[in-house]
Amino acid sequence: MKIIRYILLPVVPIYYLVTWLRNTLYDLGIKKSVSYDFPVICVGNLSVGGTGKTPMIEYLVNLLKDEHNIATLSRGYKRKTKGFQLANETSTVETLGDEPFQFYNKFKDDILVAVDANRRNGVENLKSLENAPKVVLLDDAYQHRKVKAGFNILLTTYSNPYFKDLVLPTGDLREPRNGAKRASIVVVTKCPESLSDSEKADIINHINPEAYQHVFFSSIGYSEIVFSNDKTLNIEKLNRFTLVTGIANSTPLVKFLKDKKLDFEHLNFKDHYNFTSGDIDELCKKDLILTTEKDYMRLKQYMSLKAKLFYLPIQVVIDDNLKFNKLIQDFVRRS
């Protein structure tokens, strides 16, 4: 795969030019962005792959849901439906996609969960609802510039920050690095707990934020409790098990489990993987399965796995979270 990426290096300037031109047309107002008279917060990234958007959306939901009527709006990646869909009791992972379905399962009594590949159409549909939300959280919409969010949160991982990357197809960036200037907040995600102040300062120096921008650092917080359909267990009580992951980067999770000296095998699938009947047959042969919350949304429908399937929740842990929270809350109140 790396060899192919190097072979495609001559394509990088073309991709760069096309994405730079697109952004310039939006910046100049030649291509139109629609803004709204209520708070719209976008969570996204410059790169492909997992930067922690799902736990960040959940963090924002928990921060705001008690005071505001909130909706999340996602693309609904790999769903089998088209157009605008509003989650309800008949929704499945096939109609919403795994991450929105996770939002709905977790917060269905508190928020609205919607999907639409056309974010502008999605926002308009949400506005037309009788119980229209007062705050919309756009999930993975940093490049969807038809909607002009009032507040952009850009995520970049500690292990592969955007300022060290190239645009596709040789690198992982969806657009040039200067797209980061649209962000109100830049969060360096998946940081080690041992990250020093001097290393943070060095990263901030590379980001070189504008006067209006704030930089934060976050890490992944893993639960000590695993959950199934009808019970919970302390993770230390797990005997030998099979870890099943279909996420962009399973390395931090594997490290967490190994650090606890747990005995497991790891079956690693592609991000947003659709499990086949053959996969399910193989998993049925396992005695105990631990998976991520996102993958659990795809696997829990199989009754043959019900008694042996557990998931491990995660949450984002933000350094200087009080300042971060205040920036978000102040924006929502002002808007």
Side-chain angles (χ1 to χ4, degrees):
M1 184 64 179
K2 288 185 178 180
I3 294 175
I4 295 175
R5 285 194 166 205
Y6 284 125
I7 292 173
L8 292 173
L9 185 60
V11 181
V12 167
I14 300 172
Y15 186 93
Y16 183 103
L17 180 61
V18 169
T19 52
W20 173 85
L21 179 61
R22 176 181 181 270
N23 280 328
T24 300
L25 293 175
Y26 275 111
D27 293 339
L28 295 175
I30 297 172
K31 290 178 74 70
K32 300 298 182 183
S33 293
V34 176
S35 55
Y36 297 92
D37 58 357
F38 57 88
V40 177
I41 301 174
C42 171
V43 174
N45 45 270
L46 295 185
S47 64
V48 297
T51 55
K53 295 180 293 294
T54 299
M56 178 58 71
I57 289 287
E58 293 184 352
Y59 183 99
L60 296 175
V61 169
N62 281 315
L63 177 65
L64 299 171
K65 66 182 177 62
D66 291 339
E67 294 185 14
H68 306 280
N69 184 13
I70 296 174
T72 63
L73 178 59
S74 310
R75 172 186 171 187
Y77 185 60
K78 285 196 173 182
R79 62 188 170 111
K80 295 181 180 179
T81 55
K82 301 293 184 182
F84 179 79
Q85 298 284 326
L86 185 65
N88 56 44
E89 64 276 3
T90 66
S91 297
T92 65
V93 70
E94 285 78 17
T95 62
L96 296 179
D98 48 16
E99 289 156 345
F101 191 55
Q102 178 177 320
F103 298 152
Y104 180 70
N105 275 262
K106 188 172 288 187
F107 300 113
K108 59 186 174 184
D109 295 329
D110 299 309
I111 70 171
L112 298 172
V113 174
V115 294
D116 198 325
N118 184 330
R119 303 305 202 282
R120 186 187 296 178
N121 184 68
V123 174
E124 294 297 330
N125 273 279
L126 286 169
K127 280 178 57 182
S128 69
L129 296 175
E130 184 177 349
N131 60 332
K134 303 301 181 185
V135 181
V136 174
L137 305 179
L138 298 179
D139 174 30
D140 194 14
Y142 200 78
Q143 285 74 40
H144 293 264
R145 300 199 60 187
K146 289 183 179 181
V147 172
K148 185 176 182 180
F151 201 95
N152 283 294
I153 301 175
L154 177 68
L155 309 183
T156 187
T157 60
Y158 168 83
S159 61
N160 188 29
Y162 72 83
F163 54 78
K164 292 184 178 180
D165 206 350
L166 298 173
V167 296
L168 294 164
T170 299
D172 287 326
L173 298 184
R174 299 170 172 175
E175 61 173 296
R177 299 173 189 173
N178 62 4
K181 299 305 180 183
R182 300 197 303 275
S184 309
I185 284 176
V186 178
V187 182
V188 183
T189 64
K190 303 183 181 181
C191 296
E193 294 181 2
S194 59
L195 189 65
S196 66
D197 289 341
S198 61
E199 191 171 4
K200 290 178 183 178
D202 182 61
I203 293 172
I204 292 173
N205 183 58
H206 278 92
I207 291 174
N208 190 23
E210 302 291 338
Y212 57 83
Q213 294 183 305
H214 302 267
V215 179
F216 293 88
F217 298 84
S218 72
S219 58
I220 299 172
Y222 292 98
S223 172
E224 293 293 326
I225 305 296
V226 296
F227 296 79
S228 72
N229 179 63
D230 57 0
K231 61 183 175 181
T232 61
L233 285 175
N234 188 295
I235 195 168
E236 305 282 0
K237 300 294 185 182
L238 290 180
N239 296 315
R240 175 159 177 80
F241 60 91
T242 299
L243 174 66
V244 177
T245 58
I247 56 178
N249 180 14
S250 60
T251 302
L253 173 56
V254 171
K255 182 180 183 301
F256 170 76
L257 297 174
K258 285 185 176 180
D259 287 347
K260 287 190 167 293
K261 311 297 184 186
L262 298 174
D263 185 13
F264 64 96
E265 65 170 335
H266 182 199
L267 300 181
N268 193 27
F269 299 89
K270 293 187 296 183
D271 195 18
H272 298 282
Y273 183 74
N274 283 319
F275 295 94
T276 66
S277 58
D279 296 327
I280 301 305
D281 289 342
E282 288 302 310
L283 292 179
C284 286
K285 299 174 184 177
K286 308 300 181 181
D287 294 325
L288 184 63
I289 299 170
L290 180 65
T291 191
T292 68
E293 192 167 4
K294 182 170 79 170
D295 293 311
Y296 181 79
M297 296 301 139
R298 293 188 178 278
L299 292 170
K300 70 174 187 173
Q301 63 182 303
Y302 299 102
M303 296 301 295
S304 56
L305 299 179
K306 187 175 181 179
K308 62 180 73 177
L309 184 64
F310 289 81
Y311 70 88
L312 177 66
I314 64 171
Q315 63 180 357
V316 62
V317 180
I318 300 176
D319 280 4
D320 202 358
N321 65 304
L322 295 180
K323 179 181 178 181
F324 179 90
N325 294 353
K326 187 174 188 303
L327 287 169
I328 302 298
Q329 291 165 330
D330 286 351
F331 164 72
V332 171
R333 288 165 185 157
R334 285 196 311 270
S335 301

